[in-house]
Amino acid sequence: TAKLEQVFLALEGFAWECESATGVFTYVSSRAEEMLGYPTSDWIGDADFFPSIIHPEDRESALGYCKEETAAGADHTMTYRMIVADGSIKWVRDIVHLGRNEEGVVTHLRGLIIDISDNRRLREELDQTEERFRRLFDESPIALFEMDWSEIRNRLHEISNSGVTELRAWLDEHPQEVAHLSRLGRITAVNRGALEMFEASSIEDFSGNIGNLMQQDSLLAFKEHLLARINGQRKFEAENVAYTVSGKRIHIHIRATSAADSEHSCDRIHASISNITSRRHAELLRDGQRRVLESLAS
C-alpha cells in the first residue's frame, strides 16, 4: 500500500473505489485531500459528494458516460473538470476499472484520478500560439509557401549513387533532369498572398507541384537552389522568374529556409516570395536608356 501511495504521488493523482450499484465511495487515497482540498472523510459513504464537485458543465456527460460504459462492461477513461475546495478548477483524467465478483458481475469501480491541468493549459496555450501563427501566415501580404523537397533529395541521391561525382556538371549536361526535378517538389501550404500573386484560387491550382510555377527560363536559379539544398545549406536567397496560373511571367525574389524541426534540409522548406517585376522592368528601362545615350555619345 505504501508503494502504491508513492506511485499516486508521483502521478499527481489519487486512487478511489466505489460501489457500482449505489455510487457510494468506500475508499479514497490520502492524496485526494492534497490535490482537491476536501478531507477524505467527505468522500466516504456519501453518494452525492463526488457528483457535487464535478464541474456543472461536465457533470452530466461524465457521469452518463461512466454509467453507459459500466453497463456495457467496459473499462474506460474520462476527462473532465473538478471544483477544488478553494473554488478553483482542475482538469483531471479519470481512469476507471470495473471490479467483478466470482460470478463476473460488476460490483464496484476502482479508478485513478490524475491532475492534467498543467498539460491542458500548455495544450491550450499551444493551440492559441498555433492559431496566431496561422493567422499571420494566412494574412501576410507577402507570398508564403511551405514545400516538401524530399523526393528531389531522393532523386539526387540516386544520381549520385549511380556514380556521378560532379553533380553540377552532370546537371549542366542533362537539363531535362532539372525540369524533372522541379516537378518532384511538392507545395504543401500557401497563404492568401501567394494565391493572389500567382492568380490562383486555391492550392489545387498549383497541383501541389512547384514545377507548375516555372518554365525553362526559371530552371537556372532553381538548379542553384537544389544544389545548395543537397549540400546541406538551410538558407537560400535569389532572384528568378516564375509564371502565374494564367501563364503571366513575373520576376520574383525568393528567400527559402528549412524548418527548424526538419530532420533534413529538403523535408520542409518555408519560402517567402516577393514580386519584383516592376523593379526589374524599371532597371531594364534604365539600362536601355543608358545604352542609347552611350551609343549617341560615341
Side-chain angles (χ1 to χ4, degrees):
T1 304
K3 289 184 177 180
L4 284 176
E5 285 290 343
Q6 291 176 359
V7 172
F8 299 148
L9 287 170
L11 288 173
E12 293 293 322
F14 62 90
W16 57 267
E17 182 179 82
C18 75
E19 298 173 348
S20 60
T22 63
V24 172
F25 274 68
T26 56
Y27 169 77
V28 65
S29 63
S30 59
R31 181 71 173 84
E33 183 171 351
E34 182 180 341
M35 181 171 149
L36 296 174
Y38 305 101
T40 54
S41 57
D42 288 357
W43 293 76
I44 308 302
D46 183 359
D48 295 327
F49 174 73
F50 175 64
S52 72
I53 63 172
I54 299 177
H55 193 285
E57 294 179 5
D58 300 338
R59 187 178 300 146
E60 183 177 349
S61 59
L63 295 176
Y65 178 73
C66 184
K67 184 176 180 179
E68 291 173 2
E69 293 298 294
T70 301
D75 294 342
H76 49 281
T77 300
M78 304 177 291
T79 299
Y80 53 87
R81 289 165 289 180
M82 297 192 78
I83 304 169
V84 184
D86 63 8
S88 61
I89 303 297
K90 284 186 181 292
W91 279 95
V92 301
R93 179 167 293 121
D94 196 351
I95 304 167
V96 184
H97 173 72
L98 308 187
R100 293 175 169 84
N101 61 18
E102 294 180 356
E103 287 75 33
V105 177
V106 176
T107 57
H108 55 279
L109 309 180
R110 295 190 182 98
L112 178 63
I113 291 179
I114 303 171
D115 183 358
I116 61 168
S117 300
D118 289 343
N119 291 342
R120 188 84 183 196
R121 194 156 40 246
L122 288 172
R123 179 70 256 178
E124 290 174 351
E125 290 174 358
L126 180 60
D127 289 343
Q128 291 171 2
T129 300
E130 289 177 348
E131 177 60 24
R132 285 197 296 271
F133 277 103
R134 171 54 58 183
R135 287 200 301 270
L136 286 171
F137 178 83
D138 286 338
E139 297 172 8
S140 171
I142 299 172
L144 300 176
F145 287 80
E146 182 179 82
M147 300 178 292
D148 178 356
W149 282 24
S150 56
E151 289 300 314
I152 293 178
R153 181 194 66 233
N154 294 342
R155 175 56 184 154
L156 289 174
H157 284 166
E158 287 178 4
I159 295 170
S160 297
N161 292 338
S162 69
V164 173
T165 57
E166 295 294 334
L167 185 58
R168 176 184 293 277
W170 189 89
L171 290 175
D172 288 342
E173 295 173 2
H174 300 82
Q176 73 282 359
E177 185 65 36
V178 179
H180 172 65
L181 288 164
S182 74
R183 293 189 292 273
L184 294 180
R186 293 192 306 112
I187 297 172
T188 54
V190 297
N191 73 338
R192 191 177 307 155
L195 295 178
E196 292 175 356
M197 180 180 294
F198 288 91
E199 301 177 328
S201 59
S202 69
I203 189 173
E204 286 73 25
D205 283 350
F206 300 122
S207 301
N209 185 332
I210 63 169
N212 291 338
L213 307 181
M214 294 184 281
Q215 293 185 21
Q216 192 64 37
D217 52 356
S218 313
L219 296 179
L220 181 60
F222 169 73
K223 181 177 67 177
E224 294 303 318
H225 189 177
L226 65 86
L227 286 169
R229 292 288 163 198
I230 203 66
N231 289 328
Q233 296 182 30
R234 303 188 69 88
K235 296 182 179 181
F236 179 81
E237 183 173 350
E239 292 186 4
N240 199 0
V241 293
Y243 290 81
T244 69
V245 170
S246 67
K248 183 167 64 179
R249 186 176 188 267
I250 59 175
H251 292 268
I252 62 170
H253 181 271
I254 180 171
R255 292 185 179 91
T257 305
S258 299
D261 60 348
S262 179
E263 182 179 356
H264 301 286
S265 63
C266 292
D267 289 350
R268 287 179 62 211
I269 299 172
H270 295 152
S272 64
I273 297 178
S274 303
N275 188 337
I276 59 170
T277 304
S278 297
R279 192 195 80 193
R280 290 292 292 134
H281 285 173
E283 290 172 351
L284 291 172
L285 179 61
R286 286 196 299 271
D287 288 345
Q289 292 172 338
R290 178 178 54 80
R291 285 194 294 272
V292 170
L293 292 174
E294 289 175 350
S295 65
L296 291 174
S298 62

